[in-house]
Structures are given as structure tokens and as C-alpha cells.
Amino acid sequence: MRRFGVVSLLALAATLAGCGGGGGGVGSTPTPTPTPTPTPTPTPTEPIVTTPPVVSTPTPTPTPTTPTTNFNDSEYARSNAAVAASALTAYNAGATGAGVKIAILDTGIANPGNEFGTRIDAASRDFGGNGAITDSDGHGTSVAAVAAAGRNGAQMEGLAFNATVLALRTDTSGTCGTTDGCKFSSTNLAQAIDYAVANGATVINLSLGGDGAAPSTLRAAYARATAAGVIIVTAAGNESGADPEVFAQIASDAAVSRGLVIIAGAHDASFASASFSNKAGSFGNVYLTALGDRVRAFDETGGAFLFSGTSYATPAISGAIALIKSAFPTMTGAQIVDLLYRTATDAGAAGIDSIFGRGILNLAAAFRPVGTASLAGTSIAVSLDGNGVTAPAMGDARTSGLGRAVILDDYGRAFGLAVGDTFARTAPRRPLMGAIGASFGAASLGDERMVMSLTVRRDLFAGQPWASAADRGRPSAETVAASMVARVDRRTVAGFAIAASADGLARSMTPGGDGGGFLIAERPAGSPGFDARRGMAMALRHDLGPIALTVTAEEGRLIDYRPERGALPPHYSQAGAALDRRFGPLTLSAGGSLLREEASVLGSRFGGAFGNGGARTMLADVGGRLALGGGWQAGAGWRTGWTRVAQAGLLAEDGRLRSTAYALDLGRTGAASRFGLRLAQPLRVATGGYWVDLPVGYDYETGTTTTERRRLDLAPQGRERQAEIAWGHALGAGWLDTNLYWRRQPGNIAAAPDDLGVAVRLSTRW
């Protein structure tokens, strides 16, 4: 490491060093190294939001646009400081550092090969009595290169390759090239800091340091800079110390730093703390690491070198600050520093530790929304990856039609989010294992006036790895249902059940209404339209002469595939009434019911922006049975539902859906055998959805939001159809039953493979 003595006009003992410890590379000078072939550096996962974060930006900063340029080219691959920081994410989001000024307080700057183009600020000047800013030492140029070298296909590029460099030469004239190396006056540094603030610098880079505390003159300049909101990044030192150099420790003085001074430590290409780097020690709260070992850059002659030292981690952080400021110009210095700390990759011990401090610089994370995201112009929270789960009734509805919305994160940064892509769909269920994956025992007790029944389940496959999560957690045996049916008078029968459907209870009271033996294909009225864990149910049937009235009610909860931690699945309730009348061999029925869902829509879950307050569905059912003779009968059922979702969140009006379901049956029941064939369509949304007022534009300057009305269409493209054959034959005291079924486009998902299955069951009586 190159050490530099300090010439203090106030005769205060402060030793400053260039290149990291404050400053330079490990060794007296950067050792020339053959042009390296950089090893690709692991890059964190790309953000969910990849569109330009700035939707509308106040003048004069231009609005970043989604680049058509391939930034992931050979020059980027050579720029290992940028690669290690995952700067590609920032570039792809439109951030390049344009319009942002980085003050480099160092040995001046050279512009070999026009690497900096016209981006060396005309206000650049010398404070050390050298007469010019031209760098004859190479340290200042190499540091500036890591922060802001141009993207021109040659050499390497700096992290903020379009940023402006305010080069402030602060080495004392005649000291560079001596045995002790370049010296920096604390007074000159203080003047340069004040000058950088006055000339609009966003960040001040100090790739120098020393083992003495900063003199009061310099501390006062730090305080003036941070009071103005300017960020200062200073090197940790290159002595392998357990703490940063004393000069850098000014960052922990809240009265001076105001949280805007960052100590830069170095990591190597393997993301381990560089052996030479001073560690965070007790200053971890203000310490951040970036690549500082064998960093690709060039000197004042344009020669390629691999430099080492915390001096080179420092401009990587300064360049990252410039990228963030160019993308989000309204962010304050305090917000930028907080963002860098919050999004740093945790390394070493969990949390803030004594080696890596806050962690490792990670621009990929910094360019994702941080904290609680909300839709622009509202206080409605929105998830980056989970704003809804569509149930089978909505299947593969094309929610992507919503397009992109503007969201704001904790820092008020605007991002584009493809909201429709954040809706998941429930995977098509495979119901066969749920139907046969257990043995059931039933016991009944009663007479002609009252019957009580109890069903016990013993799981056959609960311990198998392919069993559902619910089944794996289920006790090996449990009571799963209980019911009681009682005749109130000669015209009236009442029933109550636990963990059973009201429709099943009602069918047990209806002459000729029970049976069929189907495992998979359901009657339209047999399900609320989604997988449910039944709670309590009741049914009352009363004969009114030629017509019978049946009243039913049930309640339960969804079988929720993505429940919130600690929350119960949403509750539902359903109540209805039906009339049936027999005309000789023909029985016709018609009825209606009201389905109330607490926090779901036909079993689908939506976030607060899309009406998570539940739904009301009016259901109309018609059906009939025709006795064909010889024990044969045919049946049909049709259900239509009209769902209303109250206006809430972004809904421009009440959401309305229409859904349908049907079943066609043919069967025969005899003393020794039974047969059934059913063709069915489970409940499916036929038409409908929501009109949503979606924020699609945002102006940082005024805070105003532009909205656009878009359609969330919830009708699926797929259409599930079911066919099932059930055959049974008496076998001793029991029955041998066989079921064969086929489901086309299961879950109403057009791309889902067919579900075909067969089951053989043996039931005995004892």
C-alpha cells in the first residue's frame, strides 16, 4: 500500500494515504499485469421489475428508457468492479450516471485515449499548487476510471460510465514520486470538499486516508458537505486492521457525518474480505464492501493494470451512488445511503458484522423495489410476486392483459410492474388420491324416525412422499364426518351434519336421490365451485303434496393452497332452497342459493388492489331424473352463477362474473350390481371480470399519477370436461367397485395434460 504523509498548515498530526489505506494499490506502485481475462462473477437474481424505474422525471434529467443496447458485452465483462456490483441491472433499467457529478479528490486526472470524453467537468481544478489537474502519478486517473471511465469498447468501463467527473487535484506540489509518496494538506482537502459541494457534486470520493484523526478544519468541511446532503465515500485502509483507519472513523461521528459518510472496505473476486483490507470492526454500521482486489483499470498513460486496495472499492461505491441518483433524481443522500445498506448482500456473520459491516455492494437488489410497494397515487399495498391466486373456476384466465402498473417503494421510487404476471393459478388437482387414499369406516345407529352416522378415515398413503401436504400432516385415523337425520313428522325430515355437504345431506333425504358411486365427476350442486373443507351443514325437506321443498345451508373454509402465515383460510357460507316435483317417471327440480365468500371469489384469492373483500354469488340450479325401467334412470343438472364483487381497491365498478356447470347421468341400480356414467363440466367462469383503474404513469416533480382503465378478464381459455364410469358388484357382504375417469383440460387450463385414472375399491359390512 502506498502511504502519504500529510502537510497540515495547522500543524495537526493527520497522516493521509492514497490508494486505500487510505489509498493506492497493494505494493509501492500498481504492478503492471498482463491484460486479464476476467472470470465471470456470480450475479444476484435479476429483479422482478425490469422496466425503467423512472416513469416521468423532472427536467433537466432525461427519462431513462428501456435500452436497446446490449450492455452485457466484452467491455462490461472486463470491468470486474461493475460486474461484481451487478451493475448490469442498473444499465438495463436505463441508469448510466448521466447528469450526476462525482468529485474525485486525488492526484488529478488524465484522459488517455479520450476515455472520459467530455465528461471531465470544466470546473475541475487544482488545490495543491500544481498548476493543473493533469495526473502524473496515475492514482487519481485509475480511481476515476473505476467510478466513471467511458463505455467505448476499449479497456473497461466505470460503474457510472456517463457520469461527470469533477477532478479536484489535492496532492501537495512536488510530493508525488518521492519516497514517502504524495502528501495531501487537510486544508486543501477541506477547501476541495467545500468546492465540490458548491459545484453540485452528488458524491465525494476520498480514496486516501491515514492513521490520524481528521483535523478540525477537515471535520468542519465534512459537516458542511453532509449538511448539504452530499455523500462522502472514504477508504477503510490497507493494513489488514480489525478496524478502519482512524481517518476513516469520522464516519461514525453522527454530528459530522449525519449518516452520509460511508467507509469502503474491499472484497476479492470470491466475495471474501480482501486480505489487505481493514475490516469493519466496531464501525460496521457505516461500512460497506466492494471489489478492491485486482480491479481492472488504467493509469495516466492508458496502460491496463489490475489495481488492489480499498482505494478501488471506494470509487465502485461512488459510481453506484451516481447510478442510483441518475435513475432516481429525487432521492436524497440519506435515502441513497440507506438503500445501499438495506440492499447489500449479507456476508460473514448474519446482519451487521465486524468483517463486512453492512455487507457487499449489490446494485441488482438496489434496483428492485425495497420495502412495502404501493400502487402509485394510492396507499394500496401491492406484492411484487403474489397479487392473486386463481382457483379452478378461473383456470388459465389471461390476467396478463392488465399490462404494467406503476408502483412506489419505501423511497418513493417508481417502478413498472407487470401486475397480471403476479397472479398465480392453482395447479390442477389430482383428485384420485384424495378419493381413495384412505379407508373409511361408517357406523349407523337408529330406526325409522332417526338415524345417526359416523365416518372414520384411516389414511393409507399419509406417510408417502407423494402424498399431499395436508395428508402428510393428517393423523393416521380420525373422525371425518358425522350426521343425524330425523323425521320430524310424516311430511318433514331434518338433518344436521359435520364435515359434510348440505347437498349430500339433502340427497340422502330424497327418494331415489342418492347413489351413483362416482368418485371424481361431481353434480353441479354438489360443490360450491372450489375445494372446500366442509364445516357444519343442515337440510330440511318438507312435502307439500305433489311438490317437495328442500332448504339447505352449510359453511366451511377454502382448502387454501397459499395461506398467509398464521391466518385461517377464508370462510364461506351457502344457503338455498329447491323445489322438486314428480310427474310419473320424471322428476324435475329447480332451486336457488346464495354463496357468500369472506375473502375469495369463487375460490380465487386477490390482493387488496383487486377486491379481496369477498364476493356474493347467486346460484340457480335446474335438474331432472327420468326412470327408464329395469332399474335404469337418466339425469341432468345445470347450474348458472352470477357473482358480484363489490367495488374496492382499484376496481372502477363492481366486478361481475357469470359461471356455469352441468352434468349428464345414466345409471342402473340393482340388488347385485350397479352402473353409472356421468359427463360433467365443473363450475367455470363463462364471462366477466373487473375494470381496473391502473396507475400507468408517474411524475416525480409533481407527484401526480396517470391512470388508465384496463380489463382483468377472469374467463379461462381452457374448459374442463369430465367423464366417469362407475361399476359395482355385490361381493359377499360387501361390494367391489371400479371407477374409470378422464378429465380433459383439468382445472380449466387449456395446456394442462389430460388426467386419466382408475380405482378399484372393496367395501365390507360387519
Side-chain angles (χ1 to χ4, degrees):
M1 180 192 74
R2 296 193 304 168
R3 307 271 317 159
F4 299 93
V6 68
V7 178
S8 173
L9 298 183
L10 299 179
L12 294 173
T15 302
L16 304 181
C19 266
V26 176
S28 60
T29 58
T31 303
T33 307
T35 300
T37 302
T39 301
T41 306
T43 304
T45 303
E46 290 297 316
I48 296 168
V49 181
T50 57
T51 53
V54 179
V55 179
S56 177
T57 314
T59 306
T61 307
T63 300
T65 57
T66 302
T68 56
T69 305
N70 175 23
F71 289 99
N72 192 14
D73 57 11
S74 58
E75 186 176 12
Y76 175 74
R78 291 192 297 270
S79 309
N80 56 348
V83 172
S86 300
L88 184 62
T89 300
Y91 305 155
N92 287 335
T96 64
V100 179
K101 193 174 294 187
I102 304 173
I104 306 287
L105 278 61
D106 216 293
T107 63
I109 194 169
N111 196 9
N114 202 33
E115 280 284 346
F116 296 98
T118 60
R119 294 178 297 106
I120 298 176
D121 197 321
S124 299
R125 57 164 288 187
D126 169 51
F127 285 86
N130 298 284
I133 64 167
T134 305
D135 180 20
S136 60
D137 177 78
H139 186 261
T141 300
S142 60
V143 166
V146 174
R151 184 176 182 276
N152 56 9
Q155 295 279 16
M156 44 72 69
E157 63 193 40
L159 272 83
F161 54 77
N162 275 339
T164 299
V165 176
L166 179 62
L168 303 180
R169 186 171 180 182
T170 48
D171 58 297
T172 302
S173 178
T175 61
C176 289
T178 64
T179 302
D180 292 335
C182 302
K183 294 181 174 61
F184 296 81
S185 162
S186 59
T187 300
N188 290 346
L189 289 172
Q191 291 175 347
I193 289 173
D194 287 337
Y195 184 82
V197 174
N199 281 272
T202 292
V203 56
I204 296 172
N205 189 94
L206 291 173
S207 289
L208 46 81
D211 52 13
S216 59
T217 303
L218 193 53
R219 295 173 66 86
Y222 268 73
R224 289 189 292 271
T226 58
V230 177
I231 303 169
I232 299 174
V233 187
T234 186
N238 298 332
E239 292 80 35
S240 305
D243 287 307
E245 286 185 332
V246 175
F247 179 78
Q249 293 176 13
I250 191 174
S252 66
D253 186 339
V256 173
S257 71
R258 296 179 175 85
L260 294 181
V261 180
I262 300 173
I263 301 174
H267 68 72
D268 62 21
S270 300
F271 296 94
S273 178
S275 59
F276 56 80
S277 177
N278 285 33
K279 312 308 182 209
S282 57
F283 299 87
N285 196 50
V286 291
Y287 183 102
L288 182 67
T289 64
L291 184 68
D293 182 51
R294 297 175 62 81
V295 178
R296 171 80 180 236
F298 51 82
D299 68 1
E300 79 281 9
T301 69
F305 293 88
L306 295 177
F307 295 89
S308 292
T310 54
S311 273
Y312 298 97
T314 306
I317 296 173
S318 296
I321 291 167
L323 287 175
I324 294 169
K325 186 67 174 179
S326 71
F328 307 104
T330 60
M331 287 189 73
T332 66
Q335 288 177 319
I336 292 173
V337 172
D338 186 63
L339 174 67
L340 290 175
Y341 289 161
R342 286 178 69 178
T343 58
T345 301
D346 195 14
I352 300 173
D353 69 282
S354 61
I355 304 298
F356 290 91
R358 293 281 188 165
I360 296 171
L361 176 66
N362 185 346
L363 280 169
F367 273 78
R368 299 188 190 105
V370 174
T372 302
S374 61
L375 288 154
T378 77
S379 59
I380 301 172
V382 65
S383 170
L384 302 182
D385 58 3
N387 289 298
V389 182
T390 58
M394 298 174 188
D396 57 3
R398 293 178 179 174
T399 57
S400 59
L402 278 176
R404 307 191 77 83
V406 180
I407 61 171
L408 304 180
D409 72 354
D410 277 1
Y411 301 100
R413 300 186 298 165
F415 290 83
L417 175 66
V419 181
D421 293 343
T422 66
F423 288 85
R425 70 171 62 117
T426 301
R429 63 187 180 95
R430 302 300 182 192
L432 183 59
M433 296 312 301
I436 66 169
S439 63
F440 292 90
S444 298
L445 177 66
D447 53 25
E448 67 278 2
R449 294 187 59 83
M450 179 183 293
V451 177
M452 300 180 64
S453 300
L454 185 69
T455 302
V456 178
R457 167 177 172 156
R458 175 178 173 79
D459 288 305
L460 301 178
F461 306 119
Q464 300 302 321
W466 36 262
S468 70
D471 283 340
R472 285 199 299 272
R474 189 188 300 276
S476 60
E478 62 176 336
T479 300
V480 295
S483 66
M484 179 182 71
V485 177
R487 180 165 292 281
V488 179
D489 56 39
R490 67 185 184 86
R491 290 179 175 269
T492 308
V493 181
F496 300 89
I498 298 173
S501 72
D503 178 71
L505 191 61
R507 281 189 293 123
S508 70
M509 303 175 181
T510 305
D514 204 1
F518 297 106
L519 288 176
I520 306 301
E522 295 180 324
R523 286 165 27 90
S527 166
F530 45 82
D531 291 340
R533 192 176 301 283
R534 303 298 175 48
M536 299 184 67
M538 63 79 61
L540 179 70
R541 180 177 174 82
H542 182 70
D543 287 334
L544 301 171
I547 299 176
L549 170 66
T550 303
V551 178
T552 58
E554 71 172 78
E555 60 84 29
R557 293 188 180 274
L558 270 66
I559 295 178
D560 198 353
Y561 296 96
R562 294 180 63 177
E564 298 177 5
R565 186 180 298 275
L568 289 172
H571 180 267
Y572 78 91
S573 62
Q574 184 174 353
L579 297 170
D580 63 84
R581 178 169 180 172
R582 187 169 182 175
F583 300 90
L586 177 64
T587 301
L588 298 177
S589 63
S593 59
L594 174 63
L595 171 65
R596 296 176 179 268
E597 296 176 77
E598 179 183 75
S600 59
V601 181
L602 297 180
S604 297
R605 303 288 304 277
F606 296 103
F610 304 98
N612 68 340
R616 303 289 181 268
T617 301
M618 294 297 302
L619 296 163
D621 293 283
V622 294
R625 275 192 329 274
L626 177 63
L628 301 175
W632 288 88
Q633 67 175 9
W638 179 272
R639 164 170 280 188
T640 301
W642 296 269
T643 301
R644 177 179 173 272
V645 181
Q647 181 180 359
L650 297 181
L651 272 63
E653 56 190 28
D654 290 354
R656 298 183 185 278
L657 309 170
R658 185 176 66 84
S659 52
T660 60
Y662 68 81
L664 302 172
D665 292 354
L666 177 66
R668 180 182 182 277
T669 302
S673 65
R674 55 195 178 203
F675 171 84
L677 169 65
R678 176 172 287 170
L679 304 177
Q681 174 198 290
L683 195 71
R684 173 186 180 272
V685 173
T687 60
Y690 307 156
W691 284 105
V692 178
D693 287 329
L694 208 62
V696 296
Y698 181 76
D699 191 313
Y700 278 108
E701 191 170 38
T702 63
T704 57
T705 303
T706 303
T707 61
E708 185 175 295
R709 186 157 295 184
R710 293 180 179 171
R711 179 73 169 171
L712 175 59
D713 190 351
L714 296 174
Q717 307 304 304
R719 181 188 297 272
E720 179 173 345
R721 289 189 173 92
Q722 304 170 342
E724 183 174 1
I725 295 174
W727 175 83
H729 193 275
L731 187 65
W735 284 81
L736 177 67
D737 287 288
T738 301
N739 292 73
L740 174 66
Y741 76 91
W742 169 68
R743 298 166 66 219
R744 176 181 178 273
Q745 298 182 357
N748 292 313
I749 298 174
D754 290 358
D755 181 20
L756 182 67
V758 62
V760 178
R761 298 170 293 153
L762 176 64
S763 59
T764 60
R765 184 179 304 164
W766 46 35

